[in-house]
Amino acid sequence: MNNVILHSLFTDFDIDLFKAGKHYRLYEKLGAHLLEKDGVKGCYFAVWAPTAKSVSVIGDFNYWLEGDHPLQVRWDESGIWEGFIPGIEQGTKYKYKIHSHNQDIKTEKADPFAFYCEQPPQTASIVWEAKHEWKDNKWMAARKDTNALDKPFSVYEVHLGSWRRKIEESGRALNYVELANELVNYLKEMHFTHVEFMPIMEYPYDPSWGYQLTGYFAPTSRFGKPEDLMLLIERLHQEGIGVILDWVPSHFPDDAHGLGFFDGSHLYEHPDKRRGYHPDWKSLIFNYGRNEVRSFLISNAIFWLDKYHIDGLRVDAVASMLYLDYSRKDGEWEPNIYGGRENLEAISFLKEMNEAVYGNFEGIQTIAEESTSYPMVSKPVYLGGLGFGMKWMMGWMHDTLEYFKKESVHRRYHQNDITFSMTYAFTENFMLPLSHDEVVHGKQSLYGRMQGDEWQRFANLRLLYGYMFTHPGANLLFMGGEFGQSSEWNFQNSLDWHLLQYDGHKGLQNLVADLNKLYKKQPALHEKQFSAEGFQWINYGDSDNSVLSYIRKGHDAENDLIIVCNFTPVVRENYRIGVPRNGKLKQIFNSDFKKYHGSGVSNAKEVKIEAVPYNGREFSAAIILPPLAVTVFNIL
């Protein structure tokens, strides 16, 4: 009995593009699509399963029985099975039952292109057509300017399941609609320019934090419907906040309903285990050399920018994609055709993905989480780069946290740790991350890593943030860091918001809000944040006092800022620094202010600049350095 009507959304041109790996909007064709055929309402299904001998749609509507609703394979050797099933409505649960030519293997799979899924641990796909009338035209029209590389990028990284929970309701996570109120208001109060969501595509296993995806086109149903996520993004945009999604094209889990061994063959994953299996994460690696897989992944990147108005993609684990020997011992990997360790197919894929997303959407950014010294990650493809907009500055993060772990009396011997980042700061467009990875697995919270008694720990953390926000580059801070979460992050619990009743935590939160305002307001901190023209040392060699001083510059010299960091708890009176011109210094920021729980040591409102040569400059000024603090001055 065949209850399926022959129908297709594919043109010959679609198929040609798909086979060539150049179809970038497969979500418009593959998957489940509600439509009307010859006056009959129903759903068109299409799935790629070239090794199958038969494919059936199973679901509640046929008691999950194979064979009642068989799809037809296309005649063009594309490996696509398709058909129209009358009577299928929004909300219908379904899967594909695939009978393979390969040893008669049978698999039961969720739809790789499903727009909505059952809430884990349930695994069915759900027929869904999201209906949302976007009201973020103002943001989208201005995005090319507001999201540009010479504009502020202060990113708040969020795990939606543990940001804030309803303690009075058994500690449940907030849903998308509640977040559209509470999270948006908080980001606005804290003056962050962007929010980055750890993966919100459907994932089966909570402890993976979302980095093991099974539903690449479906926002996780843990927090509501697709339309609810659209509402959250719209509200963020209405408040002028950009949205960055974590995106994981590097690996996927081998769950029975997922992409692995999809049609009884290695369809999405590379068939050679040396290239198709990830030993660290015990997951599968995409076959980047397979055209149809490239189309799947690039279509996925474009889908979120298109349908969800996303402003940027932070691409996870890029280093693991670039190198064939990543986390592998000798004998566990095979060199490329030139004898090297680079994964040429993955490199080619990343370049194509970046060209595709930048070519299709104005004002978006892609950001690489890439931990090696691979060259030109954030340079355009036409110059030989990978084409990302930015790259995480993992070296800065590592060196800086190591430095801040040291007692202040020993820091004089490690000045190079805190200055070294400036030797390579402009080789890429760097984003400085203090991410979720730095506050888990026994590393302690950022507050827990700081040295000294309680006051010094808070002062060190304020100094760290002040140094970070005045260092060239964009910034990213993981949730909880802004108020000094004292315990490690636990994805099962809410952040410790009760800490804000204490002065040290509240003061730190005030400081981060003011740093965000400073970064947004002062052109010198963002206009040339990726250019060597935007930075100049005053003195990086005063290791005896553990002091750094430098100038940040924008397009107009009138906006130059002088920044001085004192990495010891010693107050330094009459500390002389060279300055670029005559006039007066006006203190505009001091991390030791009492409103931040500091000691209140401060400079006069204006400090006279004198014609006294110092630090290789004709003019200089004698200032006060507060303890464990960063001070920022304008030149009047």
Side-chain angles (χ1 to χ4, degrees):
M1 167 175 157
N2 190 345
N3 299 310
V4 183
I5 298 169
L6 199 60
H7 186 68
S8 184
L9 293 181
F10 285 91
T11 64
D12 291 346
F13 184 52
D14 284 324
I15 298 299
D16 288 344
L17 288 174
F18 178 53
K19 288 179 175 178
K22 300 295 181 186
H23 203 306
Y24 297 157
R25 294 184 187 249
L26 283 177
Y27 53 88
E28 294 176 351
K29 309 288 179 172
L30 285 166
H33 298 272
L34 291 168
L35 51 87
E36 191 173 309
K37 178 173 168 57
D38 301 329
V40 178
K41 290 183 177 178
C43 187
Y44 165 81
F45 294 91
V47 62
W48 178 50
T51 310
K53 65 165 72 167
S54 70
V55 177
S56 294
V57 184
I58 57 174
D60 288 340
F61 55 93
N62 61 15
Y63 305 102
W64 301 92
L65 293 175
E66 179 185 3
D68 271 11
H69 293 88
L71 300 180
Q72 297 295 313
V73 68
R74 288 183 60 89
W75 53 269
D76 50 24
E77 298 183 341
S78 62
I80 293 171
W81 297 72
E82 60 187 349
F84 174 79
I85 304 178
I88 299 288
E89 298 177 334
Q90 178 105 323
T92 302
K93 297 171 185 173
Y94 72 100
K95 281 185 179 178
Y96 296 117
K97 188 81 173 189
I98 302 170
H99 191 175
S100 178
H101 275 297
N102 183 14
Q103 300 179 347
D104 276 342
I105 292 166
K106 287 193 176 182
T107 59
E108 199 171 286
K109 295 292 186 179
D111 188 344
F113 284 85
F115 298 134
Y116 190 31
C117 301
E118 281 190 296
Q119 189 165 333
Q122 305 304 315
T123 58
S125 303
I126 300 175
V127 174
W128 202 264
E129 186 182 314
K131 289 185 172 19
H132 181 78
E133 278 196 37
W134 287 92
K135 302 183 187 69
D136 62 351
N137 297 353
K138 185 179 174 188
W139 167 268
M140 296 299 282
R143 183 173 73 177
K144 186 179 178 184
D145 180 56
T146 53
N147 221 31
L149 292 174
D150 61 351
K151 294 298 191 296
F153 267 80
S154 181
V155 183
Y156 187 63
E157 185 190 23
V158 175
H159 177 263
L160 290 184
S162 58
W163 176 68
R164 185 177 284 166
R165 288 180 171 236
K166 291 281 185 189
I167 307 303
E168 66 277 14
E169 296 180 37
S170 305
R172 72 164 176 85
L174 301 185
N175 59 41
Y176 294 129
V177 175
E178 290 165 334
L179 288 160
N181 179 37
E182 295 189 37
L183 177 61
V184 173
N185 288 342
Y186 183 70
L187 289 164
K188 196 177 166 193
E189 285 168 23
M190 292 300 295
H191 300 279
F192 283 98
T193 66
H194 293 74
V195 64
E196 178 180 316
F197 295 139
M198 289 167 68
I200 55 170
M201 302 81 183
E202 195 58 84
Y203 57 99
Y205 186 52
D206 284 344
S208 80
W209 311 333
Y211 289 98
Q212 300 268 10
L213 305 180
T214 49
Y216 270 76
F217 292 82
T220 179
S221 51
R222 288 167 175 80
F223 313 119
K225 297 182 174 72
E227 291 90 335
D228 299 337
L229 174 59
M230 291 173 174
L231 174 71
L232 169 57
I233 293 164
E234 179 178 275
R235 282 279 294 115
L236 287 159
H237 283 172
Q238 287 170 343
E239 296 298 344
I241 299 164
V243 183
I244 300 166
L245 291 190
D246 269 15
W247 186 55
V248 193
S250 47
H251 64 115
F252 58 94
D254 61 1
D255 292 56
H257 68 289
L259 296 177
F261 214 55
F262 188 80
D263 62 351
S265 74
H266 298 293
L267 191 62
Y268 288 92
E269 69 271 22
H270 199 286
D272 184 340
K273 196 171 180 183
R274 293 172 296 181
R275 298 178 65 178
Y277 181 76
H278 205 297
D280 281 4
W281 303 313
K282 296 179 173 51
S283 54
L284 304 172
I285 300 170
F286 285 105
N287 185 354
Y288 305 108
R290 189 162 193 169
N291 287 344
E292 297 90 342
V293 172
R294 291 164 78 103
S295 274
F296 169 81
L297 286 170
I298 295 173
S299 291
N300 186 245
I302 283 182
F303 169 80
W304 293 101
L305 303 170
D306 175 20
K307 297 298 184 183
Y308 284 83
H309 289 201
I310 295 303
D311 307 297
L313 296 171
R314 176 268 193 187
V315 183
D316 183 59
V318 171
S320 75
M321 299 170 67
L322 294 177
Y323 296 106
L324 297 165
D325 63 344
Y326 185 89
S327 274
R328 296 178 192 274
K329 303 185 181 97
D330 287 347
E332 293 179 349
W333 63 283
E334 186 178 39
N336 63 36
I337 55 171
Y338 302 112
R341 54 196 279 261
E342 295 79 15
N343 186 335
L344 302 178
E345 292 168 348
I347 290 165
S348 161
F349 159 72
L350 289 169
K351 290 180 178 182
E352 186 178 346
M353 181 277 299
N354 277 316
E355 286 190 309
V357 297
Y358 279 104
N360 277 278
F361 299 94
E362 278 197 329
I364 61 97
Q365 298 292 347
T366 61
I367 305 154
E369 187 222 5
E370 204 286 302
S371 54
T372 75
S373 56
Y374 189 92
M376 300 178 71
V377 171
S378 59
K379 297 293 186 275
V381 173
Y382 66 80
L383 291 178
L386 288 183
F388 286 93
M390 285 177 252
K391 168 180 166 166
W392 274 19
M393 198 176 194
M394 313 290 271
W396 170 89
M397 175 270 299
H398 177 267
D399 291 346
T400 301
L401 291 177
E402 279 297 309
Y403 181 85
F404 272 89
K405 271 168 39 179
K406 293 178 170 64
E407 291 182 34
S408 54
V409 69
H410 299 309
R411 288 177 179 173
R412 62 192 302 177
Y413 305 112
H414 299 277
Q415 186 92 342
N416 186 54
D417 287 355
I418 204 74
T419 60
F420 182 66
S421 60
M422 289 310 305
T423 64
Y424 62 94
F426 304 110
T427 57
E428 301 277 4
N429 299 336
F430 279 120
M431 176 177 282
L432 281 55
L434 292 172
S435 75
H436 66 274
D437 277 329
E438 304 318 309
V439 292
V440 288
H441 302 322
K443 293 179 182 174
Q444 298 184 287
S445 65
L446 293 179
Y447 171 81
R449 290 200 199 189
M450 298 297 111
Q451 277 299 322
D453 58 20
E454 184 187 24
W455 187 89
Q456 286 197 22
R457 284 188 167 195
F458 278 116
N460 268 310
L461 201 45
R462 293 193 303 271
L463 171 57
L464 167 57
Y465 293 159
Y467 166 65
M468 174 184 180
F469 273 76
T470 57
H471 186 291
N475 308 296
L476 176 136
L477 186 60
F478 182 56
M479 63 182 199
E482 78 279 12
F483 62 78
Q485 170 95 1
S486 50
S487 60
E488 279 195 355
W489 171 55
N490 182 340
F491 72 93
Q492 295 173 302
N493 298 333
S494 172
L495 295 179
D496 294 331
W497 294 100
H498 63 275
L499 293 174
L500 286 168
Q501 66 188 298
Y502 303 110
D503 291 345
H505 296 279
K506 184 61 184 170
L508 185 64
Q509 187 189 47
N510 291 338
L511 172 112
V512 172
D514 282 358
L515 280 172
N516 277 327
K517 285 197 275 188
L518 184 77
Y519 176 49
K520 289 200 281 190
K521 183 180 177 185
Q522 295 294 330
L525 292 180
H526 58 256
E527 285 181 345
K528 295 184 177 179
Q529 59 193 344
F530 303 122
S531 166
E533 295 175 1
F535 178 88
Q536 194 172 26
W537 283 116
I538 295 172
N539 186 1
Y540 60 84
D542 187 7
S543 54
D544 284 347
N545 293 312
S546 297
V547 174
L548 289 183
S549 49
Y550 46 93
I551 305 171
R552 289 296 307 276
K553 303 176 176 186
H555 298 314
D556 187 341
E558 295 284 308
N559 297 323
D560 286 0
L561 297 180
I562 306 280
I563 294 117
V564 188
C565 302
N566 178 11
F567 294 100
T568 70
V570 179
V571 178
R572 305 199 185 277
E573 307 266 357
N574 294 313
Y575 186 89
R576 190 165 288 276
I577 56 168
V579 293
R581 60 180 186 271
N582 208 347
K584 293 176 182 175
L585 292 183
K586 179 187 177 187
Q587 178 183 276
I588 60 170
F589 180 85
N590 177 347
S591 67
D592 195 47
F593 282 158
K594 289 198 168 175
K595 71 181 280 196
Y596 308 139
H597 191 55
S599 63
V601 173
S602 185
N603 287 273
K605 281 190 178 176
E606 293 181 357
V607 178
K608 191 170 184 300
I609 295 173
E610 302 167 289
V612 176
Y614 208 74
N615 296 140
R617 289 182 166 80
E618 291 181 40
F619 301 99
S620 63
I623 58 175
I624 298 169
L625 300 190
L628 291 173
V630 60
T631 318
V632 182
F633 302 92
N634 276 136
I635 304 175
L636 300 178

